Amino acid sequence: MRYTIFGESHGPAIGVVLEGVPSGVILDMDFIRAELKRRAPGQNALSTARKEADEPEILSGVFEGRTTGTPLCAVIRNTDTRSKDYAQLQNLPRPSHADYAGSVRYKGYNDYRGGGHFSGRLTAPLVFAGALAKLILKEKGIEIAAHISILGGVEDPAPEQMEELIMAAKNDCDSVGGAIACTVSGIAPGFGAPDFGCNAEGIFSQYLFAVPAVKGVAFGAGFGFSCMRGSEANDPFYMDDKTVKTRSNCAGGINGGITNGMPITFEVAIRPTPSIGQEQDTVDLSSGKDAKLSIKGRHDPCIVQRALPVIEAAAALASCELIGI
């Protein structure tokens, strides 16, 4: 199953085309809408004020409530755009955003409004695709769950702490990053390979790094391995009835690029959004001179809380590829 995301943040719509979808899957639209709502903007003061219904429209690939097996296309209309807020970004790229790199890549023809195709807005169709993948995986006993493991340097923050950290950054015209830990349970041992393109960790990483703002991925103990001895890092085996299990899971459910039957665990680092209100140094691409930029528009002071369903979606799509769906 492969997906292609299309559209721009301030275009008429964004969407996704999924190919290789198994036929006969019941499309639970209530579940899909609930997943999209978890990511949707404008729900509280902790996110952007942009309000979008994020109601998916199915154009193809579904008949009488079940997938047909042909390409499935879904679109989500953009209804609350303020393109004039982004006029200056045509020539003044935001530091650490894809504005400059995208302009070079597409020879200046890219849609810069709201970040265009590089906007976090494009994660809405990704969540749609991931929700469908979750429905398929659920039938096979595979579940995915994520939580915020770090926010603004605070590990396992309580909701009150998260709100305080995010509002403090917002009041300073700044933003804050964090990390998300995710667990995929129910994948049997033996999937993957040590080879390039088939490696389980490589498959997950490819999907995860396709999510805007993800700048790091670590499996199991991750960089904690650098502080361990082998006696601490190894996961001892034992028999649970007739099933081989490990007493710990430092490896994150993967050995040699192959699943070992334990839950696949990983953590992703989410960078602070580059769209901040403070004055920053940039360049004027039209004049070729240094310039200053104070970003206008509606932006998230933190995207970590809205990224939870996005990371789960990427993990679901990666899981489908790994097990051959």
Side-chain angles (χ1 to χ4, degrees):
M1 190 168 68
R2 295 287 186 272
Y3 75 91
T4 299
I5 289 175
F6 61 86
E8 287 80 30
S9 179
H10 285 211
I14 53 179
V16 62
V17 176
L18 282 151
E19 296 184 85
V21 179
S23 58
V25 177
I26 297 174
L27 202 69
D28 185 343
M29 291 304 299
D30 288 338
F31 172 73
I32 291 173
R33 289 189 184 98
E35 291 290 278
L36 286 167
K37 186 176 181 180
R38 293 173 63 199
R39 192 220 68 92
Q43 300 190 61
N44 52 53
L46 304 181
S47 68
T48 173
R50 180 176 179 176
K51 292 183 180 294
E52 296 283 0
D54 283 355
E55 176 64 28
E57 301 175 33
I58 311 300
L59 301 186
S60 65
V62 178
F63 182 67
E64 296 183 342
R66 291 179 181 267
T67 58
T68 63
T70 57
L72 192 160
C73 179
V75 298
I76 298 171
R77 304 291 175 182
N78 292 323
T79 60
D80 184 20
T81 59
R82 295 181 185 175
S83 299
K84 66 180 186 301
D85 291 342
Y86 298 88
Q88 61 180 339
L89 301 184
Q90 182 175 12
N91 294 312
L92 302 177
R94 288 167 285 184
S96 291
H97 198 282
D99 294 337
Y100 171 68
S103 178
V104 174
R105 169 66 176 81
Y106 296 107
K107 300 178 174 60
Y109 293 105
N110 57 298
D111 184 347
Y112 58 84
R113 300 169 302 167
H117 191 69
F118 301 99
S119 170
R121 177 83 184 122
L122 276 294
T123 59
L126 176 61
V127 169
F128 175 92
L132 175 59
K134 282 185 177 181
L135 291 172
I136 297 169
L137 294 170
K138 188 175 182 180
E139 294 179 354
K140 300 181 179 298
I142 298 171
E143 300 283 348
I144 299 170
H147 71 276
I148 295 174
S149 54
I150 302 173
L151 194 139
V154 178
E155 294 188 12
D156 296 320
E160 299 80 11
Q161 288 178 297
M162 289 193 288
E163 183 172 352
E164 291 174 3
L165 290 163
I166 294 171
M167 291 307 297
K170 182 177 182 179
N171 292 335
D172 290 337
C173 295
D174 212 336
S175 60
V176 64
I180 292 174
C182 187
T183 299
V184 181
S185 58
I187 293 184
F191 287 104
D195 310 305
F196 177 82
C198 303
N199 182 287
E201 288 148 321
I203 290 171
F204 271 87
S205 295
Q206 184 174 7
Y207 281 84
L208 292 166
F209 277 120
V211 176
V214 169
K215 299 300 288 184
V217 177
F219 292 85
F223 285 93
F225 280 121
S226 63
C227 303
M228 293 180 176
R229 289 187 172 187
S231 56
E232 300 170 297
N234 292 346
D235 299 315
F237 289 111
Y238 74 99
M239 295 301 302
D240 181 10
D241 193 13
K242 295 183 179 180
T243 302
V244 176
K245 292 186 176 181
T246 60
R247 298 194 183 280
S248 57
N249 193 22
C250 292
I254 301 172
N255 297 122
I258 304 169
T259 59
N260 63 19
M262 296 298 288
I264 296 174
T265 63
F266 61 85
E267 188 174 43
V268 296
I270 306 290
R271 61 153 295 135
T273 174
S275 298
I276 61 175
Q278 295 183 15
E279 185 177 78
Q280 302 179 81
D281 291 329
T282 186
V283 294
D284 188 327
L285 298 178
S286 61
S287 66
K289 297 180 179 180
D290 291 342
K292 298 288 185 180
L293 173 65
S294 294
I295 297 172
K296 301 177 182 179
R298 300 166 294 176
H299 304 285
D300 290 88
C302 181
I303 59 173
V304 180
Q305 73 279 14
R306 292 179 58 206
L308 286 168
V310 182
I311 296 304
E312 290 178 7
L317 291 161
S319 298
C320 285
E321 178 170 337
L322 178 64
I323 66 175
I325 294 176

